[in-house]
Amino acid sequence: MEPQKALGAKFEAWQAMGLDATRCPVRGLLDQMGDRWSILLLCALATRPRRFGALQRAVPDISKRMLTQTLRRLEQDGFVLRDVQPTVPPSVTYSLTPLGASFAAPLLALIEWAEVNFPAVRDARYAKRAA
């Protein structure tokens, strides 16, 4: 089945479930991954485990509070592992779990699509504002 028709069939299946976010495998995931920071942090962790400060330097416009909240959600959802070493002060390293690593291929496809198509999206936004 061609991708567009398969996508429509998926949506119809979700509608049959009442678009219930608790039973829909996509809505809950998109709520998390569609935020401003999750994708960037997963990309930063794709190359190697990092400590909190290194993540903050990798994504410099994220606040400490938002970085903490996003890492906690990613950890809760099973995408990120938080490893605390019993040193003084404690050393904390974040890395991708196998689930997080398995998201790399679909995320890369989305990122590559965005890189190719962003100029058209930007032009459409500009044309809409100018009209």
Side-chain angles (χ1 to χ4, degrees), residues 52-115:
F52 187 92
L55 285 170
Q56 192 166 32
R57 286 187 297 278
V59 185
D61 52 340
I62 191 170
S63 69
K64 286 182 181 182
R65 179 177 179 262
M66 189 53 62
L67 177 56
T68 299
Q69 287 178 349
T70 306
L71 287 169
R72 283 182 183 156
R73 281 196 315 270
L74 289 169
E75 182 184 11
Q76 180 182 4
D77 288 350
F79 287 91
V80 169
L81 174 68
R82 182 178 185 262
D83 181 36
V84 181
Q85 295 297 315
T87 59
V88 179
S91 174
V92 180
T93 303
Y94 296 91
S95 60
L96 293 180
T97 63
L99 179 65
S102 75
F103 191 54
L107 181 54
L108 180 60
L110 175 64
I111 289 168
E112 289 173 342
W113 181 92
E115 288 174 338

